[in-house]
Each structure stands twice: as structure tokens, then as C-alpha cells.
Amino acid sequence: MNSTPDVFRAVVQALESARFRPEVALSRIAPPRGLAPHAISFAAEVGHGLHRRLTNPEEPRTAREAPASGRFVVLYDESCPQPWQGPFRIVSWFRSRLDAEMGRDELLPDVSWSWLTDTLGEHGARFTAEGGTAARTVERHYGSLTEQADVAQVEVRASWTPVQHGGPQHWAHTHLNAWAQVLCTAAGLPPHHEGVTYL
């Protein structure tokens, strides 16, 4: 079994110490196997009243479904695989439930991809070799389900190589914090300011 390099330990410590606005529920989960010698993975859900839903599992599933959710994985391979252009690689996906009318907008995939790239840039999370997909779906109900409203969602799968600067504690936290903000944007939450409560 490979020992964990100090640089990856520092990244893990930075990610585990990250703190977010109250609507973001982040938990560490088992990372995918076979992608890299070392990996750390998180699951996240974002939405109004999320803490109440997570702490009350007796509520109906529909009441507990978060407006946005996703996965964030950091891979480390000191051999620097050529497609990565570096020893670290971030892999993520997020899914957001949307108004059905918005889900019919053909530009939605472009907009949702820009949520990711623009937010990374705004947070100073430098990156390169990015790639991914964005897809939108609209579900229409028929037969006995006709009375149910249409459901739309967008899903973005992406990976990128973080450009390291300021040490592992700085850049790792910056990328995770930016990604969490992407989920907040996808969930339709307003910008967060300390000490301000949104109703």
C-alpha cells in the first residue's frame, strides 16, 4: 500500500477544515477507485432549510430533495499524467433542479458551464486543461401523472487541473470554496454576506 505524500496530506487537511454558508451541507465520502494513487471525495447538497431536512429523515422524499447537489473529488498522481498537465486533478459534477421554463432554454448548458468557469475565476482558483459536459433535461408527465408539474434539471460534469499557488492549504480551499459557490448559484441562492439572514 502506498504511503500518503505530505503534499496530499496538506490538501486533505485544507479541504476537511473548509467551512461554508449554512445552506451548504458537505460530507466526506469514499473516493472512486482506480483513477489515481491518492484521492479524496466529498458530497454536497445545497438548499434553503437544508439542515432541517437532513436532521428530519421522516419527511417525505420530495420535501427533502435539495435544489442542487454534487460531488467534488481531488486526485493526486505524482507521475503527472500527460492529460492532467500536473500532479493534481479535480473531478466534479453537480445537478440542479430548475423551473421548467428555464429548463427549455437552449442556452442553459452554456450558462451552467459558465457558472463553473466564471466562479472559479472570480475566487482566484486558477486552473488549466479543463473539460467536461453540460446537459439539460425536461420531464413531462402523462397518464395518471398529468397533473404533476414538468420537472427540469441541468447537470454539469467537469474536470480541471488546479494551478498551484500559495501552498496546498490555500489553493485547495480556494477551489472547493468556489465549487460550493457554484452549487449555491445553481440552487438559486442569493450572494451570502456574513450576518445577513435571507427569508
Side-chain angles (χ1 to χ4, degrees), residues 42-119:
F42 295 90
E45 288 189 352
V46 179
H48 293 290
L50 182 58
H51 176 73
R52 176 180 59 80
R53 291 195 297 274
L54 292 177
T55 55
N56 186 8
E58 298 305 318
E59 288 190 60
R61 174 63 185 173
T62 54
R64 293 187 288 116
E65 194 163 355
S69 61
R71 300 286 186 274
F72 182 91
V73 183
V74 178
L75 308 175
Y76 178 73
D77 187 339
E78 60 185 358
S79 71
C80 299
Q82 192 279 330
W84 293 11
Q85 300 180 24
F88 285 95
R89 186 72 174 173
I90 295 175
V91 179
S92 83
W93 70 262
F94 69 85
R95 178 185 298 129
S96 175
R97 296 173 61 84
L98 304 167
D99 175 85
E101 192 62 32
M102 184 176 181
R104 297 186 181 94
D105 189 340
E106 294 184 358
L107 295 179
L108 181 59
D110 297 334
V111 171
S112 58
W113 180 260
S114 71
W115 289 342
L116 177 64
T117 57
D118 290 354
T119 303

Side-chain angles (χ1 to χ4, degrees), residues 18 23 45 72 82 160 163 183:
E23 298 92 342
E45 288 189 352
F72 182 91
Q82 192 279 330
W160 64 92
V163 176
L183 264 66

Side-chain angles (χ1 to χ4, degrees), residues 104-187:
R104 297 186 181 94
D105 189 340
E106 294 184 358
L107 295 179
L108 181 59
D110 297 334
V111 171
S112 58
W113 180 260
S114 71
W115 289 342
L116 177 64
T117 57
D118 290 354
T119 303
L120 288 172
E122 291 166 2
H123 281 70
R126 303 175 190 174
F127 61 92
T128 189
E130 71 277 11
T133 63
R136 63 185 175 91
T137 60
V138 178
E139 295 181 4
R140 177 161 293 175
H141 300 86
Y142 298 94
S144 62
L145 303 178
T146 302
E147 294 183 358
Q148 295 189 25
D150 291 353
V151 177
Q153 71 176 21
V154 63
E155 182 175 283
V156 175
R157 296 179 178 271
S159 64
W160 64 92
T161 296
V163 176
Q164 303 174 51
H165 62 100
Q169 295 86 350
H170 173 73
W171 68 258
H173 180 271
T174 299
H175 281 262
L176 180 57
N177 189 59
W179 181 80
Q181 180 56 49
V182 172
L183 264 66
C184 291
T185 300

